[in-house]
Amino acid sequence: ANVHVRGSSAMRHFALTMSTAGQPQVDETATQDAAEEVEHLRAIAKEATRRAYALEQELAETKAGLAAAQAALDEALSRIDSEEHIASVAKVQADELKRRLEEFKIKGKGQLVQPLSDRLRKAFAAYDSDGNGSIDARELSGLFASLGYDLSDGEMAKMLAKYDLDGNGAIDLDEFRDMYGSMP
């Protein structure tokens, strides 16, 4: 009976056949098969090493790309946070400006005028004796008399013409505010 023993060394591959007499014989075909298998395994190992190196390179490039993407994302988020903060501050400032502008009234020709105080409204109501929302020449004369001014009819007509901006012959609340603000 033939017994096959296969082995390898770093330098040489061999296959031995034991004869029935116990003498070793070299089997050239088995040795050739073993050598081809070793070369095949070396080729597989070489390809695996090449692929591993390529994967390491790809992984390094991917990591570098991810680091760059993360840095860009962090910068964008920081910019967004900053822009949101600026927008928030701008909105607060715009809301405050709007609130303040609402306290003022726009008078003809786009001129801003200060809001009427309650004190001014009460003074107007006191001189608007007939309660019609305007002060006519008679009521205006009473107003100036209460302030210690004795105006002639001509002076009263000039005063009325000066402050009666809409020309209706009487002074309304907005005109009264202008007149009140210009008095010494």
Side-chain angles (χ1 to χ4, degrees), residues 13-151:
H13 305 285
F14 60 90
L16 296 175
T17 304
M18 298 297 275
S19 68
T20 51
Q23 296 295 321
Q25 293 180 330
V26 174
D27 182 348
E28 292 295 327
T29 303
T31 302
Q32 184 62 33
D33 288 345
E36 287 173 6
E37 185 176 338
V38 167
E39 284 304 312
H40 178 70
L41 290 174
R42 281 185 180 158
I44 289 173
K46 185 176 180 180
E47 179 63 18
T49 302
R50 187 192 64 74
R51 284 186 182 176
Y53 179 76
L55 287 173
E56 284 177 6
Q57 293 298 318
E58 189 176 329
L59 179 61
E61 290 170 8
T62 301
K63 283 181 179 179
L66 286 174
Q70 183 65 47
L73 178 61
D74 290 344
E75 182 181 336
L77 289 174
S78 174
R79 212 174 313 123
I80 288 170
D81 288 345
S82 178
E83 289 170 2
E84 284 176 354
H85 175 72
I86 290 168
S88 174
V89 168
K91 182 176 180 347
V92 167
Q93 289 175 344
D95 289 346
E96 177 65 16
L97 178 61
K98 182 179 176 184
R99 185 189 64 75
R100 287 186 179 183
L101 285 174
E102 286 172 356
E103 292 176 359
F104 289 83
K105 183 176 179 182
I106 296 182
K107 189 176 174 183
K109 298 181 184 176
Q111 180 184 7
L112 287 176
V113 293
Q114 289 189 348
L116 296 171
S117 68
D118 286 339
R119 188 171 143 215
L120 189 62
R121 288 180 197 275
K122 288 177 184 176
F124 180 82
Y127 295 110
D128 180 17
S129 58
D130 61 7
N132 69 352
S134 63
I135 298 175
D136 60 23
R138 182 186 54 78
E139 293 167 326
L140 188 60
S141 178
L143 177 124
F144 281 103
S146 72
L147 295 173
Y149 295 100
D150 186 22
L151 300 178

Side-chain angles (χ1 to χ4, degrees), residues 132 134-137 139 160 163-172 175:
N132 69 352
S134 63
I135 298 175
D136 60 23
E139 293 167 326
L160 189 59
Y163 293 105
D164 180 19
L165 300 177
D166 60 9
N168 68 354
I171 296 176
D172 63 22
E175 294 165 336

